[in-house]
């Protein structure tokens, strides 16, 4: 199922969050240098998605039954994936810094793999642009961050 997202966020980030997780955004491990460069921060029950824009975010969220085996990333600027444990059975997309819930979805509790496809990143001028983020979530065990395609300009 696909869910369109169109919201305002600050600090060039938003979150995929397990509803009952502790808020660990201030953890020194969350937005590490590597996480910033990879555009994906990982902490217990939450992922920080790095955006090129500072404000308006346009995205699409899709919940899948298994991995999407796209191997041609030529239409995307950056592709990164990592895992999250959804203990509560409720996945939320939150804006930053106010943590306003943009969407809330019920799912089976467990480990999930999340892949973020970023496109049109070079269109951002100042705080806004036509950048777009596709988020896919499916059941999976590994929670390590992996960059499948790196955008080098920031």
């Amino acid at each position: 199922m696909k869910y369109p997202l169109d919201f305002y966020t600050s600090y060039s980030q938003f979150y995929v969050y397990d509803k009952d997780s502790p808020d660990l955004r201030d953890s020194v491990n969350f937005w590490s240098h590597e996480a910033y460069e990879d555009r994906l921060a990982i902490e217990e029950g939450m992922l920080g998605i790095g955006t090129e824009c500072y404000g308006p975010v346009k995205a699409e969220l899709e919940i899948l039954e298994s991995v999407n085996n796209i191997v041609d990333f030529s239409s995307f600027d950056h592709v990164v994936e990592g895992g999250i444990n959804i203990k509560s059975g409720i996945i939320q997309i939150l804006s930053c810094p106010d943590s306003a819930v943009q969407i809330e979805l019920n799912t089976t509790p467990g480990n999930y793999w999340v892949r973020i496809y970023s496109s049109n990143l070079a269109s951002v001028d100042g705080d806004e642009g036509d950048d777009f983020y596709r988020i896919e979530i499916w059941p999976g065990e590994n929670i390590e961050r992996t960059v499948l395609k790196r955008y080098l300009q920031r």
Side-chain angles (χ1 to χ4, degrees), residues 24-105:
L24 300 173
R25 287 178 288 177
D26 292 334
S27 162
V28 295
N29 298 321
F30 191 54
W31 279 116
S32 65
H33 176 74
E34 182 181 48
Y36 178 78
E37 292 297 316
D38 293 348
R39 297 175 176 263
L40 181 64
I42 300 177
E43 252 307 349
E44 179 186 344
M46 66 183 302
L47 300 176
I49 311 299
T51 64
E52 190 70 15
C53 66
Y54 184 87
V57 169
K58 292 198 180 350
E60 176 182 75
L61 170 66
E62 185 170 13
I63 306 298
L64 304 171
E65 292 182 20
S66 62
V67 64
N68 181 350
N69 288 316
I70 290 178
V71 293
D72 180 8
F73 297 136
S74 61
S75 60
F76 307 104
D77 297 324
H78 188 84
V79 182
V80 62
E81 58 187 22
I84 185 171
N85 187 344
I86 304 294
K87 294 178 184 176
S88 69
I90 300 172
I91 298 171
Q92 297 178 321
I93 302 295
L94 307 177
S95 60
C96 175
D98 60 0
S99 298
V101 177
Q102 303 303 313
I103 193 168
E104 186 173 272
L105 303 170

Side-chain angles (χ1 to χ4, degrees), residues 33 48 63 76 120 124 137-138 140 149:
H33 176 74
I63 306 298
F76 307 104
N120 299 323
V124 175
I137 301 176
W138 67 90
K149 181 178 181 181

